[in-house]
């Protein structure tokens, strides 16, 4: 049996403990939702004030050059490249994850020639599925989306597969795909591999170059701590740059935007992934979050995240038995991302009653309690205290109060 003292001992020797102070975390809260919205880095408000007051207020339009605004999508992209094992010039920050998926999928279909199928997992995040469906519908009858169960993906790859588009870590279960192995199988069948890194970038070291990934997208507001609605990123392997084209051919992806030519010519390199004017304030906030991650050892972060999730699972099983909780995440830490999910028949009210006690996780339909355990600011004792709250909520059935059943717009 684990004790709170065991967890205190783990905190005492945690090499990442120093990073907790880099975040502003409200008192009385245990934040287990950094996989949905990363918390505020302490350095972000002053950076935002500086960009607003100096660069915007004083610099005005001159800041596009003087403050380097125009280079920010590529500059922050190069920093994200270091987090995900890509080379400089392969990542650009732009648009949302959904929009980047559309651009990357369309680009992949064009690279794939006559092949017709976008292969994915039926349990993929809905926006990923919706963007595939929307693109295929837009293109007419020739292309199709094929969504299969995770265990059937390898067998479903065939000579008609244009691109395998998967999310590395599943948003609901936390199950993690073997990116290198599946990418290799894609290439053996002549297909491209497109990975959505929304639930893994910033939570663990990634190696897109080592895995030979073709295209990738990812989210700025989850483990990158870029703030609500932070812009997302797009990665295209350098070997595809000359032939990669994307359909949202806006002026900032043009080879010479300020020539104001009447005809689109794609910029060389990853800049052709850009569309319109970048959101500078959001990009400035994202850069702070990314810089913070660059100052951390992500290999240590992954080790801690596996340990945190292991402790969470063990404590829930030791202390919350007999309450209908069913582990949904893979039991082996190596097979999951930085989250743990449990099913419970009253998942929604149980999570609401936990949130009312300051333990913030989230609920995913139909019955999933999801707990994100981000390693940079979470302490091992937080895991103990969160499970204590869960155990208490279940034992007292406080969740059964009517106020906890009221559904909010965002769960
Ligand atoms: C969070 C997330 C998104 C978010 O897409 P937005 O366009 O930012 O709303 C997309 N895909 C996956 C897998 C995600 O986890």
């Amino acid at each position: 049996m684990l004790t709170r003292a065991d967890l205190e001992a783990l905190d005492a020797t945690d090499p990442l403990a120093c990073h907790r102070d880099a975040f502003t975390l409200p008192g009385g809260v245990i934040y287990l939702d950094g996989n949905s919205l990363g918390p505020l880095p302490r350095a972000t408000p002053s950076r935002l004030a500086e960009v607003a007051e100096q660069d915007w207020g004083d610099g005005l339009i001159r800041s596009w050059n003087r403050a380097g605004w125009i280079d920010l999508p590529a500059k922050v992209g190069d920093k994200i490249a270091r987090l995900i094992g890509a080379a400089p010039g392969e990542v650009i920050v732009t648009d949302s994850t959904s929009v980047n998926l559309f651009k990357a999928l369309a680009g992949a279909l064009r690279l794939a020639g006559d092949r017709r199928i976008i292969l994915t997992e039926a349990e993929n995040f809905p926006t990923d599925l919706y963007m595939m469906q929307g693109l295929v519908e837009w293109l007419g009858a020739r292309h199709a989306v094929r969504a299969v169960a995770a265990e059937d993906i390898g067998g479903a790859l065939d000579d008609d597969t244009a691109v395998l588009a998967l999310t590395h870590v599943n948003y609901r279960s936390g199950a993690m795909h073997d990116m290198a192995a599946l990418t290799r199988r894609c290439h053996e069948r002549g297909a491209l591999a497109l990975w959505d890194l929304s639930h893994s970038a910033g939570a663990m070291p990634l190696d897109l170059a080592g895995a030979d990934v073709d295209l990738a997208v990812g989210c700025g507001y989850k483990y990158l701590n870029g703030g609500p609605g932070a812009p997302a990123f797009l990665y295209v392997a350098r070997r595809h740059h000359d032939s990669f084209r994307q359909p949202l051919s806006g002026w900032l992806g043009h080879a010479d935007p300020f020539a104001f030519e009447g005809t689109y010519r794609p910029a060389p390199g990853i800049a052709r992934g850009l569309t319109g004017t970048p959101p500078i304030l959001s990009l400035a906030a994202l850069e702070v979050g990314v810089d913070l991650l660059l100052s951390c050892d992500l290999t240590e972060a992954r080790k801690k995240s596996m340990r945190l999730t292991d402790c969470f699972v063990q404590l829930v099983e030791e202390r919350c038995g007999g309450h209908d909780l069913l582990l949904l995440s893979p039991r082996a830490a190596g097979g999951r991302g930085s989250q743990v999910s449990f099913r419970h028949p009253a998942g929604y009210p149980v999570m609401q009653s936990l949130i009312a006690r300051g333990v913030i996780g989230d609920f995913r339909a139909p019955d999933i309690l999801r707990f994100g355990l981000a390693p940079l600011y979470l302490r091992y004792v937080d895991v103990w205290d969160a499970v204590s709250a869960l155990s208490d909520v279940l034992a007292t059935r406080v969740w059964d109060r009517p106020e906890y059943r009221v559904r909010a717009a965002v769960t």
Side-chain angles (χ1 to χ4, degrees):
M1 296 275 278
L2 274 177
T3 64
R4 197 170 194 279
D6 295 331
L7 298 178
E8 281 168 1
L10 288 173
D11 282 325
T13 55
D14 173 11
L16 298 174
C18 53
H19 296 299
R20 180 174 166 87
D21 235 17
F23 294 90
T24 304
L25 297 159
V29 162
I30 297 176
Y31 193 56
L32 306 181
D33 217 356
N35 54 328
S36 212
L37 174 66
L40 174 68
R42 213 173 272 285
T44 302
S46 57
R47 178 63 188 142
L48 279 173
E50 188 178 56
V51 176
E53 288 161 14
Q54 291 172 27
D55 299 350
W56 180 14
D58 293 335
L60 292 165
I61 201 163
R62 295 169 290 190
S63 288
W64 283 105
N65 295 310
R66 268 198 214 162
W69 285 353
I70 198 67
D71 301 319
L72 214 47
K75 181 183 169 209
V76 181
D78 281 348
K79 289 183 175 186
I80 292 174
R82 288 161 58 194
L83 296 176
I84 62 175
E90 287 186 318
V91 178
I92 194 99
V93 176
T94 178
D95 300 316
S96 66
T97 306
S98 302
V99 172
N100 286 329
L101 272 163
F102 186 84
K103 295 186 292 189
L105 287 162
L109 289 184
R110 192 172 181 278
L111 287 170
D114 290 338
R115 293 171 173 241
R116 298 181 313 117
I117 302 298
I118 297 174
L119 180 62
T120 190
E121 179 186 358
E123 293 293 313
N124 203 342
F125 190 83
T127 203
D128 297 50
L129 299 172
Y130 302 161
M131 295 314 284
M132 293 172 202
Q133 292 159 9
L135 173 63
V136 161
E137 188 188 312
W138 194 253
L139 289 172
R142 225 185 79 72
H143 295 88
V145 178
R146 185 167 174 210
V148 301
E151 58 274 21
D152 297 332
I153 292 166
L157 278 166
D158 64 23
D159 296 345
D160 208 13
T161 310
V163 56
L164 172 64
L166 291 176
T167 299
H168 184 210
V169 171
N170 186 275
Y171 75 108
R172 257 204 291 238
S173 68
M176 182 163 67
H177 286 296
D178 185 336
M179 191 184 330
L182 277 168
T183 300
R184 201 178 321 114
R185 289 190 73 167
C186 277
H187 291 167
E188 284 162 10
R189 301 307 303 253
L192 296 163
L194 162 54
W195 289 95
D196 184 334
L197 309 176
S198 290
H199 280 282
S200 47
M204 62 185 75
L206 294 171
D207 185 9
L208 296 195
D212 209 20
V213 169
D214 297 287
L215 303 123
V217 299
C219 186
Y221 52 80
K222 292 172 179 159
Y223 293 105
L224 299 187
N225 306 310
F233 64 87
L234 169 70
Y235 155 92
V236 180
R238 189 176 301 281
R239 63 183 176 281
H240 296 307
H241 281 189
D242 289 345
S243 32
F244 176 75
R245 293 289 292 265
Q246 56 94 0
L248 304 184
S249 43
W251 71 310
L252 284 192
H254 189 278
D256 192 359
F258 288 88
F260 296 103
E261 293 169 8
T263 303
Y264 183 76
R265 284 190 293 127
I270 192 66
R272 64 182 54 185
L274 289 171
T275 300
T277 306
I280 296 302
L281 292 169
S282 299
L283 254 165
L286 175 60
E287 186 173 21
V288 176
V290 170
D291 282 341
L292 210 166
L293 280 164
L294 286 171
S295 75
C296 304
D297 180 340
L298 279 185
T299 303
E300 282 297 333
R302 174 65 179 154
K303 273 195 222 159
K304 180 177 172 187
S305 130
M306 293 200 291
R307 228 175 187 177
L308 285 168
T309 51
D310 271 342
C311 290
F312 195 91
V313 172
Q314 184 180 344
L315 285 170
V316 167
E317 292 185 341
E318 285 174 3
R319 305 178 66 206
C320 306
H323 289 297
D324 294 329
L325 282 172
L326 205 68
L327 179 65
L328 173 66
S329 302
R331 187 165 289 277
R336 61 178 185 245
S338 204
Q339 71 177 68
V340 177
S341 306
F342 287 89
R343 291 183 182 278
H344 188 278
Y348 187 80
V350 167
M351 183 52 75
Q352 292 314 301
S353 60
L354 270 179
I355 293 171
R357 296 181 54 142
V359 176
I360 303 181
D362 62 20
F363 167 79
R364 284 293 172 262
D367 60 355
I368 296 163
L369 298 164
R370 191 170 72 151
F371 302 96
L373 296 134
L376 295 193
Y377 46 86
L378 219 68
R379 296 168 299 204
Y380 290 95
V381 286
D382 293 328
V383 172
W384 175 273
D385 294 341
V387 175
S388 298
L390 178 61
S391 155
D392 193 58
V393 155
L394 292 169
T396 59
R397 290 183 67 88
V398 66
W399 57 264
D400 211 6
R401 291 194 198 150
E403 69 257 35
Y404 296 136
R405 296 188 180 271
V406 181
R407 296 263 175 147
V410 175
T411 62

